[in-house]
Amino acid sequence: MINQVKALIQKHGLQGMEDQILTHLHECIYAQPTQSLSKSVGTSRLGGSPDLPPGWTYPVYREEPLVFIGQLNLEEIQHIGVANKLPQRGLLYFFYEAAEQSVYGELKDRDGWRVLFFDGDFSTLQTASYPGTHPHGTLPANDLLLRKGLSLHSDAIKVPEKHWDAYYDEFLPDFSTVNGSYECNHQILGHPHNIQGDVFEEIDYFRDVESGGPYTLLLQVDTDETNLNIMWGDVGTIYFVIANDDLREGSFEHTYFSYQCC
């Protein structure tokens, strides 16, 4: 894939930017929703209902159940072969106040999103339906096709004015095609696909720290009206991000959140 990116750099006359572009490439996993045909408990999915262990319930925000965004089977993630510090097995669950979308990542609203981790016996898991009454409380269920890709930390690249058109209008659209992307950028690991500025810097802002990372992108969920029947604001994206120190401790309850849109 690196050679494909190099070919694009040549194609669009960006040889003077090659070192910058290659430095800011990061392997990631693209998660493509597919029609939910699997009935297996504990598989990776977006939307639908979570497979929870006995005694677990939907997390709530202001007395209302959060919306289940998805779950990731970490053995499936590790099988893709992208270097990471995630556990080798277990399930990560992602919830967000998606029905009203009034939470944007400020820490005062931290109960408005939740990441849970389970590494016990999958045979005990049971699919749990959304317990609320909101008409948008459940997203359509989608299995996931996981594949290795490349993400680009584009905000870190200094683009000479003479290359603006070639870089933004030609190279970046071609890059999205080459790296295995598709219409919606649902992503695990790598660098976030920023919309309003660098997501990791935004997390620093929420935390009131400077260079508080490094961070790991646990999950990025794009606007997807086709598969998930969801739009985040004005064609936006939501991000679940954890500091690597918390990741090493398995402290997924400390995961941060960002919501960006056009």
Side-chain angles (χ1 to χ4, degrees), residues 144-162:
L144 293 178
L145 173 62
L146 303 173
R147 58 191 179 193
K148 184 183 293 187
L150 288 174
S151 62
L152 180 64
H153 186 182
S154 57
D155 289 319
I157 296 174
K158 296 179 180 179
V159 183
E161 186 173 354
K162 65 180 180 180

Side-chain angles (χ1 to χ4, degrees), residues 6-250:
K6 289 181 177 180
L8 279 184
I9 292 171
Q10 295 290 323
K11 173 184 175 181
H12 297 298
L14 300 175
Q15 291 89 333
M17 296 177 58
E18 180 169 323
D19 288 345
Q20 275 201 87
I21 292 172
L22 297 182
T23 296
H24 294 293
L25 287 176
H26 303 274
E27 284 192 339
C28 64
I29 298 173
Y30 280 98
Q32 182 174 355
T34 62
Q35 183 180 3
S36 184
L37 300 176
S38 172
K39 301 300 182 182
S40 299
V41 171
T43 57
S44 298
R45 72 172 65 100
L46 290 178
S49 300
D51 301 323
L52 300 179
W56 286 32
T57 59
Y58 267 69
V60 299
Y61 175 66
R62 296 181 178 175
E63 301 182 355
E64 292 295 328
L66 294 175
V67 175
F68 173 65
I69 302 300
Q71 64 187 32
L72 298 178
N73 181 312
L74 296 182
E75 284 188 284
E76 295 174 0
I77 298 303
Q78 300 295 2
H79 181 72
I80 304 301
V82 174
N84 66 83
K85 299 182 182 301
L86 294 168
Q88 293 299 303
R89 68 173 306 277
L91 272 180
L92 281 179
Y93 306 88
F94 299 85
F95 295 85
Y96 170 57
E97 190 277 299
E100 300 297 334
Q101 299 187 27
S102 63
V103 173
Y104 304 104
E106 290 87 352
L107 297 189
K108 64 181 178 62
D109 298 320
R110 190 156 201 165
D111 286 346
W113 69 89
R114 212 73 51 85
V115 175
L116 307 176
F117 176 60
F118 174 72
D119 63 351
D121 183 356
F122 277 25
S123 70
T124 66
L125 298 176
Q126 295 183 333
T127 303
S129 300
Y130 172 70
T133 59
H134 198 287
H136 302 297
T138 302
L139 305 179
N142 288 266
D143 294 332
L144 293 178
L145 173 62
L146 303 173
R147 58 191 179 193
K148 184 183 293 187
L150 288 174
S151 62
L152 180 64
H153 186 182
S154 57
D155 289 319
I157 296 174
K158 296 179 180 179
V159 183
E161 186 173 354
K162 65 180 180 180
H163 291 318
W164 280 3
D165 290 345
Y167 177 76
Y168 290 108
D169 297 339
E170 299 173 9
F171 172 79
L172 288 183
D174 276 359
F175 173 81
S176 293
T177 301
V178 165
N179 71 8
S181 185
Y182 52 101
E183 182 179 357
C184 300
N185 287 312
H186 305 309
Q187 181 183 316
I188 304 154
L189 303 173
H191 197 279
H193 181 74
N194 306 318
I195 297 176
Q196 294 176 315
D198 189 281
V199 170
F200 291 161
E201 292 181 3
E202 185 174 39
I203 299 301
D204 282 346
Y205 173 77
F206 290 147
R207 299 176 66 194
D208 194 23
V209 298
E210 293 186 10
S211 302
Y215 296 108
T216 293
L217 176 65
L218 295 177
L219 180 64
Q220 166 185 297
V221 181
D222 203 359
T223 285
D224 189 344
E225 295 181 285
T226 301
N227 300 295
L228 296 175
N229 193 29
I230 194 71
M231 178 181 289
W232 307 115
D234 186 7
V235 196
T237 304
I238 62 172
Y239 313 84
F240 296 86
V241 174
I242 191 169
N244 284 0
D245 287 345
D246 291 326
L247 179 56
R248 278 190 291 271
E249 297 296 324

